[in-house]
């Protein structure tokens, strides 16, 4: 299973990768902002990620801008995107839903809950892939 993680926080990225390393056959691609992620997706000749885990608050191109851009492209608009962010603002959730996300998770401060959320996302999409 191929996953794209779009996250500018190196510590958060390390944590997510560590949690996902428990899963066999997991190919993880990373990008530190939406622009880099968009370029990776546009340049990729291989299959699209099974899902993208997207932070909202990033420099250069934030998560909202990234979502707007992928919805303009026929080959990317159906790619599943799950938001993983510090924002619990209901307007952010609504805006993301309008842009077609598949899920919205607030980053937990409690490490047990944080790990649980990442595993929940991974398990769901692993099963959906079957």
């Amino acid at each position: 299973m191929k996953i794209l993680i779009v996250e500018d926080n190196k510590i958060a990225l390390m944590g997510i990768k560590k949690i996902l390393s428990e899963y066999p056959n997991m190919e993880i691609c990373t990008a530190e902002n939406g622009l880099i992620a968009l370029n990776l997706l546009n340049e990729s000749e291989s299959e699209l990620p099974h899902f993208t885990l997207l932070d909202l608050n990033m420099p250069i191109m934030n998560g909202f801008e990234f979502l707007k851009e992928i919805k303009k492209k026929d080959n990317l608009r159906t790619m599943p995107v799950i938001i993983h962010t510090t924002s619990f603002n209901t307007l952010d959730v609504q805006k993301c839903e309008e842009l077609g996300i598949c899920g919205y998770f607030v980053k937990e401060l409690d490490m047990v809950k944080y790990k649980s959320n990442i595993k929940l996302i991974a398990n769901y999409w692993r099963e959906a892939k079957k």
Side-chain angles (χ1 to χ4, degrees), residues 29-113:
C29 302
T30 63
E32 62 189 46
N33 62 58
L35 184 58
I36 293 170
L38 194 59
N39 289 337
L40 279 172
L41 292 168
N42 285 329
E43 294 169 2
S44 177
E45 293 180 14
S46 62
E47 66 182 86
L48 290 176
H50 290 90
F51 71 90
T52 296
L53 192 62
L54 177 67
D55 186 19
L56 289 180
N57 303 307
M58 299 175 290
I60 302 173
M61 179 185 279
N62 67 35
F64 297 114
E65 294 164 329
F66 174 80
L67 286 168
K68 287 176 186 173
E69 288 301 313
I70 65 169
K71 295 305 172 190
K72 293 178 186 176
K73 302 191 177 287
D74 289 336
N75 64 324
L76 300 177
R77 78 169 46 126
T78 60
M79 179 181 65
V81 177
I82 297 92
I83 303 301
H84 189 239
T85 185
T86 56
S87 174
F88 52 87
N89 183 318
T90 55
L91 293 176
D92 287 348
V93 176
Q94 182 181 5
K95 189 173 178 181
C96 287
E97 287 173 346
E98 289 169 0
L99 290 167
I101 60 152
C102 294
Y104 192 104
F105 288 81
V106 175
K107 291 177 185 173
E108 294 284 347
L109 295 177
D110 178 285
M111 200 54 187
V112 172
K113 290 179 183 176

